[in-house]
Amino acid sequence: HIYTSIDIGSDAIKIVVCELYKNKINLLASSAFKSKGIKKGLITDVDLASECIKGAFSEIEDMLGIKIKKVVTTVSSFNAEYSIIKGNIKINSENNIITSRDIIKVLEVAIKSNPYTLREMVTILPVDYSVDNKAFIKNPKGLSGSVLGCRAVLITTPKKNVYSVITLLENLGIEVVDISLNNIGDLYSFNNKNFQDKVGAIVNIGSDITQVSLYNKSVLVKSSTLNQGGKNIDSDISYMFKVDIPTAKKLKLNFALAHKKYASPNDIVTVKSAYEDNFKINQFEISEVVMSRIEEILNEAKKEINLLTTRKIDYIIITGGTSNMTGFEY
């Protein structure tokens, strides 16, 4: 029971290989390979993206000593749509006991009630079930009843989001056995019992984009994308201090703080500008630049959450690479 998942991101191609043993997932290997030909989660240059994916697989296969042939892959949530669907079926089994097959069947009926011929289904997320007159049941398996109903969220994306990724991987000899969206998995990273009956949001600050996702009772119900991310911080540093992008990124990762509160004007680094001149940057100055962009991203995310729902938000989680910067919690 070996499972491989690949995330084809704008900044890195990440692969995780795990083994399911005694109902526990054990990490076998993981890698992050610098990506090219991918922008905002979409493939923009097939040849460049293919070479990077080959490199990512080669790297992790060297770690494991095995050939990877099948994967679960994430696809872009750009223009994803979330529809509430419903279905009902009669229970015909012995003693009217609801089985796994009945649950699958009622979900299939619900899917058919919502045609999506111009889009591709990514997944269906059950919200709850009803058995006869009893509603809001999380798991009806083993219960007795004559009618089983369900409410679920059907997630679809434009077909190109899915088939561009599948075609690319299949051309490399990799079979895609399932697809998902990153924001479906985001909540599982933080999920606990406190979230199960609440409405909340996760803001994932990526390299090119920031994804804002809304969850109701731990079920993903809406999302939107902001065209800002970590690369905007790199560009700001590059512009303000007249350095190239690789230097700007190093300064962001190794020197700047996300909040100027704890930055020191006496902490100084010497860098070479685009004009080949050596000059000094203090930590307070560069942290001001970084903080300004982070505040802009978070303010835009806050506006987006208010557009996604008028309900009271019980929690907001901020994640993604930028959130790991020193001082971000301030």
Side-chain angles (χ1 to χ4, degrees):
H1 295 89
I2 307 295
Y3 296 88
T4 301
S5 177
I6 181 170
D7 172 30
I8 303 173
S10 304
D11 187 58
I13 294 164
K14 299 174 184 177
I15 301 178
V16 174
V17 182
C18 296
E19 180 183 27
L20 182 63
Y21 181 70
K22 292 185 178 179
N23 291 322
K24 290 185 178 180
I25 291 179
N26 301 297
L27 178 66
L28 298 182
S30 66
S31 72
F33 195 91
K34 181 66 180 175
S35 63
K36 295 179 182 178
I38 300 155
K39 191 172 183 179
K40 297 179 181 178
L42 299 173
I43 295 166
T44 56
D45 188 312
V46 172
D47 292 334
L48 280 177
S50 295
E51 285 303 311
C52 293
I53 292 170
K54 282 181 186 177
F57 276 112
S58 177
E59 189 175 88
I60 203 158
E61 286 171 350
D62 286 345
M63 295 181 195
L64 294 168
I66 60 172
K67 183 76 174 174
I68 295 171
K69 298 179 180 179
K70 297 180 180 181
V71 296
V72 175
T73 185
T74 59
V75 296
S76 172
S77 61
F78 188 69
N79 283 335
E81 291 182 359
Y82 305 81
S83 306
I84 296 293
I85 57 175
K86 298 178 181 179
N88 289 283
I89 62 167
K90 291 183 178 180
I91 305 300
N92 298 316
S93 57
E94 186 178 351
N95 299 321
N96 285 354
I97 299 299
I98 296 169
T99 66
S100 299
R101 289 184 179 180
D102 296 317
I103 294 172
I104 293 171
K105 187 176 179 181
V106 75
L107 292 173
E108 289 175 343
V109 168
I111 292 170
K112 290 177 183 177
S113 70
N114 192 308
Y116 53 93
T117 52
L118 299 178
R119 301 175 65 82
E120 184 70 21
M121 184 182 80
V122 176
T123 192
I124 177 172
L125 303 175
V127 176
D128 53 36
Y129 299 88
S130 62
V131 179
D132 295 339
N133 296 323
K134 295 180 181 179
F136 309 114
I137 298 169
K138 285 297 181 182
N139 184 5
K141 185 179 178 181
L143 300 180
S144 176
S146 57
V147 177
L148 173 65
C150 78
R151 289 192 307 158
V153 177
L154 173 69
I155 304 178
T156 62
T157 67
K159 288 181 179 290
K160 66 178 182 179
N161 289 15
V162 175
Y163 288 105
S164 59
V165 173
I166 291 177
T167 302
L168 181 60
L169 289 169
E170 288 183 345
N171 287 341
L172 296 175
I174 306 295
E175 180 186 349
V176 176
V177 296
D178 204 354
I179 58 174
S180 185
L181 301 180
N182 273 334
N183 50 351
I184 294 174
D186 276 347
L187 189 62
Y188 287 95
S189 301
F190 306 95
N191 203 4
N192 60 51
K193 293 180 180 179
N194 296 328
F195 297 158
Q196 288 181 0
D197 297 313
K198 295 181 178 179
V199 176
I202 293 182
V203 178
N204 191 323
I205 306 174
S207 175
D208 281 341
I209 60 174
T210 294
Q211 192 162 54
V212 182
S213 304
L214 184 71
Y215 301 83
N216 184 12
K217 297 180 179 179
S218 298
V219 177
L220 177 64
V221 291
K222 289 181 182 179
S223 72
S224 63
T225 301
L226 305 176
N227 290 317
Q228 292 196 75
K231 285 186 177 179
N232 293 88
I233 299 174
D234 302 341
S235 297
D236 292 344
I237 295 172
S238 174
Y239 176 77
M240 293 299 295
F241 299 103
K242 304 297 185 290
V243 296
D244 58 26
I245 292 295
T247 301
K249 189 170 184 178
K250 287 179 182 177
L251 287 168
K252 179 186 73 174
L253 294 174
N254 302 320
F255 185 62
L257 304 183
H259 198 293
K260 65 182 181 181
K261 182 177 180 180
Y262 293 101
S264 171
N266 298 318
D267 197 351
I268 295 171
V269 66
T270 301
V271 297
K272 184 174 287 188
S273 74
Y275 306 108
E276 299 296 323
D277 298 325
N278 289 330
F279 69 103
K280 296 178 179 179
I281 301 173
N282 74 61
Q283 192 179 58
F284 187 86
E285 289 175 337
I286 194 171
S287 298
E288 272 193 314
V289 173
V290 172
M291 179 179 169
S292 177
R293 177 62 71 172
I294 290 175
E295 283 185 333
E296 182 179 340
I297 292 171
L298 294 179
N299 283 327
E300 288 296 316
K302 184 179 178 181
K303 291 177 184 177
E304 206 62 34
I305 291 170
N306 291 331
L307 290 173
L308 290 175
T309 183
T310 57
R311 297 181 63 178
K312 177 181 175 292
I313 296 292
D314 298 304
Y315 64 87
I316 297 175
I317 297 170
I318 302 172
T319 186
T322 300
S323 68
N324 291 323
M325 286 189 69
T326 303
F328 188 91
E329 61 271 26
Y330 304 112

